[in-house]
Amino acid sequence: MGIDLPLIWTVIIAFGVMMYVIMDGFDLGIGILFPFVKSAGERDVMMNTVAPVWDGNETWLVLGGAALFGAFPMAYAVVLSALYLPLIFMLLGLIFRGVAFEFRFKAKVSRRHIWDKAFIGGSAAATFFQGVALGAYVEGFKVVDGKFVGGSLDWLTPFSLFCGLALIAAYALLGCTWLIMKTEGRLQEQMHNLAKPLVFVLLAVTGIVSLWTPLADPAIADRWFSTPNIYWFMPVPILVLLCTWALLKAVARYANYAPFVLTLVMIFLGYSGLAISLWPNIIPPSVSIWAAAAPPQSQGFILVGALFIIPFILMYTAWSYYVFRGKVNEDHGYH
């Protein structure tokens, strides 16, 4: 029995995307939460919690894109052709946010509000268009002979736009619970007060997306309610509800670390539900990972490099988070 290289690469890409969602999610969430915090000093603290790590978090986005290009070139061509505009808008948001991140600390106090607004806008735009791209991906693409044959605005649907708003809610909660873990005093208390309504908002949008998905795509409905997939999918909504209950309890008792960990679990459960919905297609609704795979020689060659570099990424990521562990307050400067 040979090695299933397409399956291995699917796991690697899924892992890379999940790491990006987790790690860039909370710092995008901080930008989304900026309007709720008016104090300049507290805004400095918010940014300082992620200043040492935010740019390294995007390594996973680069890894996922490069892996998709090398291992599944057909999927790379179709996805980028179909989602060209939302992905460009997402990248523009990330660039704008990155520039605002650096310039805000160098600007005069009288001009800092400009970069605050840029940081908010860049974070919200990047998050929204990530969600739009995800929604369009779930809905699927028009593919003939391995090429995208749809229009440049096929991604612009009510479902994809709602997914953009849903991801804003998810990242806002992720950023909120990150700040609960990393801050103290009035800012932490404000985040505790904000977490509870954000949990209910996230639960509501998750429920709507979960109901909308099978109604919008009969193929996904068949996949959800057919055996053995239903046995894999059935625990997901139950675990989401249990996790929500535990998260609300953790927020109510003013826990420091549990809210962030439980939010990560909720994000992972949503991600696993998406994987179950689409499996084994990498180009929804009908092109499987094996049909879109590069030749085995190509996948094997780049796998050697990936297995070498991914442990290094994990090590320096873990080390940076370890070095900058602990609470951040207004006495800490910008790293």
Side-chain angles (χ1 to χ4, degrees), residues 168-181:
I168 287 177
Y171 281 4
L173 180 59
L174 203 54
C176 181
T177 53
W178 167 262
L179 291 172
I180 287 172
M181 183 174 69

Side-chain angles (χ1 to χ4, degrees), residues 51-72:
V53 297
W54 74 271
D55 45 357
N57 291 341
E58 293 173 2
T59 303
W60 297 103
L61 182 63
V62 177
L63 174 68
L68 187 66
F69 174 77
F72 302 101

Side-chain angles (χ1 to χ4, degrees), residues 39-276:
S39 166
E42 290 178 346
R43 286 186 170 187
D44 288 345
V45 172
M46 291 170 72
M47 297 189 83
N48 285 336
T49 63
V50 294
V53 297
W54 74 271
D55 45 357
N57 291 341
E58 293 173 2
T59 303
W60 297 103
L61 182 63
V62 177
L63 174 68
L68 187 66
F69 174 77
F72 302 101
M74 182 196 300
Y76 182 88
V78 169
V79 170
L80 264 70
S81 298
L83 302 178
Y84 181 80
L85 286 175
L87 292 178
I88 287 294
F89 294 148
M90 179 197 77
L91 291 174
L92 288 174
L94 291 174
I95 292 168
F96 213 62
R97 181 190 67 128
V99 171
F101 208 113
E102 299 295 340
F103 277 49
R104 180 183 180 276
F105 287 97
K106 298 174 175 64
K108 295 179 180 179
V109 175
S110 61
R111 299 289 183 90
R112 188 168 289 181
H113 70 95
I114 298 173
W115 297 109
D116 282 351
K117 293 179 177 65
F119 184 61
I120 295 166
S123 299
T127 302
F128 178 73
F129 284 106
Q130 281 181 27
V132 168
L134 175 63
Y137 182 80
V138 170
E139 288 189 299
F141 309 117
K142 299 173 183 175
V143 179
V144 176
D145 296 329
K147 297 179 180 179
F148 176 66
V149 295
S152 59
L153 294 178
D154 282 6
W155 55 272
L156 193 60
T157 66
F159 179 76
S160 66
L161 294 176
F162 186 82
C163 286
L165 296 175
L167 195 63
I168 287 177
Y171 281 4
L173 180 59
L174 203 54
C176 181
T177 53
W178 167 262
L179 291 172
I180 287 172
M181 183 174 69
K182 294 292 289 183
T183 64
E184 54 192 4
R186 190 177 70 172
L187 178 58
Q188 186 190 47
E189 184 178 354
Q190 186 175 355
M191 291 301 113
H192 267 116
N193 294 335
L194 193 58
K196 186 175 180 179
L198 284 175
V199 171
F200 285 116
V201 170
L202 180 58
L203 185 63
V205 296
T206 301
I208 293 170
V209 170
S210 299
L211 291 173
W212 198 337
T213 300
L215 292 174
D217 191 338
I220 290 180
D222 291 341
R223 198 172 294 121
W224 279 15
F225 302 113
S226 63
T227 53
N229 289 354
I230 191 170
Y231 302 118
W232 290 99
F233 186 76
M234 196 181 303
V236 173
I238 298 171
L239 290 172
V240 167
L241 292 174
L242 288 174
C243 192
T244 302
W245 174 80
L247 179 53
L248 290 171
K249 289 288 186 181
V251 170
R253 70 172 188 271
Y254 283 81
N256 279 303
Y257 301 101
F260 183 67
V261 173
L262 289 166
T263 303
L264 292 181
V265 174
M266 287 186 69
I267 298 291
F268 174 76
L269 289 171
Y271 194 69
S272 65
L274 173 66
I276 294 168

